[in-house]
Amino acid sequence: MASNDSFRIAVRKFGPFETALQKLWDSYCAETGCKLKVEMVPMDLDDLYEAIIGKHGLKNGDWDIAHVVTDWLFEAWTSGALEDLQPYINHNPPDDFPNGWSKSLLSMQQFGDSIVGLPFHDGPECLIYRKDLFDDSNEQQRYFDQFGKTLQAPQTWDDFKTVSQFFTRPEDNLYGTVFAGLPDGHNTVFDFCLQLWTRGGELTGKNGQVIINTKAAAEGLAFYRDTLRDNTMIHPNSMQYESVQTGMAFARGEAAMMVNWFGFASMCEVIDESKVKGRVDIAPIPCTAGNESASLNVYWLYTIGSGSRHKQVAYDFIRFATNRRNDKLLTLEGGIGCRISTWKDSGVNAIIPYYHKLEKLHQNARSLPQKANWSQIAKIIDEVVLQAINTDTPIYRLLEAGQQKINAIDKTSLNYANTL
């Protein structure tokens, strides 16, 4: 448990987040005279979840502030882990609240009259690609000679496969694409949902129950299995990488394209390690013929622990951290600011020329279902995807077995939701 004179922040482990937060805290203390000693603890996804929710760290006072991703929000709120920020906002609202943010970044943390977090880091999923490779006249000619069509950012999954294979050149340490296949209950689940949605499928039924045993899910999972097994198109470390590592591999110039969070495109323009600065662009995620592209809207928030001993300081800090100036600072460090003003900022767009496209990405972005037991359901989906990749069990059998497990726990969640 935190001592009375220390201030603890649970941080999503990522270099730009860590450097930005330290700068923000130093600036906050300089402006306010705050003398609390801060301890920022960067953690990977599983460790972060366990520290703040699994072990009730937000509830019992271990953490004053924590980064919470939207697919954990419902569980964290219904378990009593999060402080309601509405009274603080009523007394001293953030600058230009709520109009300074897109509605898509304010809805998921709203529970009735309660607001449980302020947007920290955003960036829907999109196709990120090396425009220098796609625009190269020699590459264009080679591609046309081989396939009889123009080389461009792929709009269908079939073209995605073809282009990936075309650019895979192990001798040059270049691969067509890279995926985040590390089994952490997140990235493979996100990929599963995108494959489902871009084939016209739905993740939930009319009653809100999660449904994965469908034709669209089977087709998407089969494609995903084939892709992650295909060494003629994919980075060889894909099964060991989570999303940050895939983003770094792309920044090092090891992949021609990837489906990933917008933030990893932006990062390529601002971090010193990037070898593709000025060579990156984004496009909609591919889909199957006759269907529409989709994106996934998962974002991170600043939240305050219900057990914090420094709640007013915590609110004052996150209010400070999310103002216009500091939202832009986060962006220039390599994160993704959430304010509309940052998206449209001429200085930001001069450095990251596709930054203004964020607003359009949000128009096609979908969200994961808000359920108290979503982390359990996500782990089941994760298991199904990993079994598909690592075994030859028929896809339909894996989906059937996964659906049975989901049904067994989803009935409980529906009953629980009806009592709230």
Side-chain angles (χ1 to χ4, degrees):
M1 186 174 292
S3 63
N4 287 335
D5 61 349
S6 67
F7 192 89
R8 302 188 78 220
I9 304 177
V11 180
R12 168 61 169 114
K13 188 176 182 180
F14 180 42
F17 292 174
E18 297 162 41
T19 58
L21 275 176
Q22 189 61 58
K23 289 180 180 180
L24 292 175
W25 181 261
D26 292 344
S27 179
Y28 170 76
C29 290
E31 289 192 21
T32 65
C34 178
K35 301 298 184 182
L36 286 173
K37 181 180 179 182
V38 70
E39 182 184 2
M40 301 183 187
V41 183
M43 288 173 273
D44 289 323
L45 282 169
D46 283 348
D47 293 336
L48 179 60
Y49 172 86
E50 189 63 21
I52 65 176
I53 299 175
K55 294 181 178 178
H56 309 291
L58 282 169
K59 194 173 182 179
N60 65 24
D62 285 348
W63 306 99
D64 296 291
I65 290 174
H67 287 156
V68 172
V69 70
T70 48
D71 44 324
W72 299 344
L73 267 181
F74 191 86
E75 179 180 4
W77 171 244
T78 55
S79 67
L82 302 179
E83 180 77 359
D84 179 9
L85 304 187
Q86 187 65 69
Y88 302 86
I89 292 172
N90 289 343
H91 177 70
N92 189 18
D95 183 34
D96 198 23
F97 183 87
N99 297 326
W101 290 266
S102 165
K103 290 180 180 179
S104 60
L105 293 176
L106 297 175
S107 61
M108 294 187 73
Q109 62 268 40
Q110 181 93 39
F111 297 98
D113 294 329
S114 298
I115 297 174
V116 301
L118 292 179
F120 161 61
H121 167 81
D122 174 40
E125 293 226 42
C126 57
L127 180 71
I128 304 170
Y129 68 97
R130 290 268 305 276
K131 65 179 181 181
D132 60 320
L133 295 177
F134 281 79
D135 292 346
D136 184 276
S137 59
N138 292 327
E139 299 288 5
Q140 290 176 345
Q141 188 62 54
R142 287 182 60 242
Y143 189 84
F144 185 82
D145 291 344
Q146 191 170 346
F147 301 106
K149 52 186 175 182
T150 302
L151 175 62
Q152 61 182 0
Q155 297 179 0
T156 68
W157 287 116
D158 286 343
D159 284 342
F160 179 86
K161 179 178 179 179
T162 302
V163 173
S164 294
Q165 291 173 334
F166 173 75
F167 277 121
T168 296
R169 300 158 193 179
E171 66 278 7
D172 298 327
N173 197 27
L174 176 64
Y175 300 90
T177 191
V178 58
F179 277 88
L182 185 76
D184 62 2
H186 293 275
N187 299 299
T188 53
V189 177
F190 300 153
D191 286 337
F192 175 88
C193 293
L194 289 172
Q195 289 292 331
L196 172 69
W197 291 331
T198 55
R199 286 170 167 77
E202 296 292 338
L203 185 61
T204 56
K206 292 181 179 180
N207 63 357
Q209 195 167 10
V210 173
I211 301 172
I212 65 170
N213 190 18
T214 63
K215 180 181 178 183
E219 291 174 352
L221 186 53
F223 178 87
Y224 194 65
R225 165 195 265 178
D226 292 343
T227 297
L228 267 71
R229 288 180 171 187
D230 191 343
N231 59 14
T232 69
M233 63 182 289
I234 195 165
H235 194 292
N237 293 334
S238 288
M239 290 306 298
Q240 287 77 50
Y241 281 169
E242 42 81 66
S243 59
V244 172
Q245 292 166 310
T246 63
M248 291 305 298
F250 185 86
R252 292 192 300 267
E254 297 173 9
M257 59 182 179
M258 64 178 177
V259 173
N260 211 329
W261 305 105
F262 177 91
F264 294 118
S266 173
M267 181 184 73
C268 291
E269 312 297 345
V270 297
I271 65 170
D272 293 336
E273 301 94 317
S274 176
K275 295 182 179 179
V276 295
K277 193 173 296 186
R279 305 175 186 177
V280 177
D281 206 347
I282 68 166
I285 292 171
C287 58
T288 55
N291 289 302
E292 296 182 354
S293 176
S295 182
L296 178 59
N297 184 30
V298 172
Y299 55 96
W300 288 87
L301 299 116
Y302 289 107
T303 65
I304 299 175
S306 60
S308 169
R309 290 169 174 76
H310 307 290
K311 292 177 182 176
Q312 188 61 56
V313 172
Y315 176 74
D316 290 343
F317 173 68
I318 65 175
R319 180 182 179 275
F320 173 83
T322 55
N323 67 27
R324 285 183 176 89
R325 179 188 67 191
N326 291 326
D327 192 69
K328 181 177 177 178
L329 181 150
L330 172 68
T331 300
L332 296 179
E333 285 291 311
I336 295 296
C338 296
R339 282 183 171 270
I340 295 172
S341 61
T342 304
W343 299 352
K344 296 182 176 181
D345 186 274
S346 58
V348 171
N349 278 280
I351 299 169
I352 310 166
Y354 39 83
Y355 210 84
H356 63 280
K357 296 182 181 180
L358 261 174
E359 196 163 13
K360 186 175 182 180
L361 281 178
H362 271 278
Q363 296 173 3
N364 294 323
R366 306 182 65 167
S367 300
L368 296 171
Q370 288 191 305
K371 288 176 168 289
N373 63 352
W374 172 251
S375 61
Q376 293 174 272
I377 294 173
K379 286 190 180 298
I380 293 171
I381 297 174
D382 190 41
E383 290 171 1
V384 169
V385 175
L386 291 173
Q387 287 172 351
I389 296 167
N390 297 319
T391 75
D392 292 323
T393 305
I395 295 292
Y396 77 91
R397 288 186 182 174
L398 295 175
L399 291 172
E400 283 179 355
Q403 188 67 61
Q404 290 177 2
K405 291 180 181 179
I406 290 172
N407 291 346
I409 65 170
D410 216 15
K411 290 178 182 178
T412 304
S413 79
L414 287 171
N415 291 336
Y416 175 67
N418 290 334
T419 68
L420 295 178

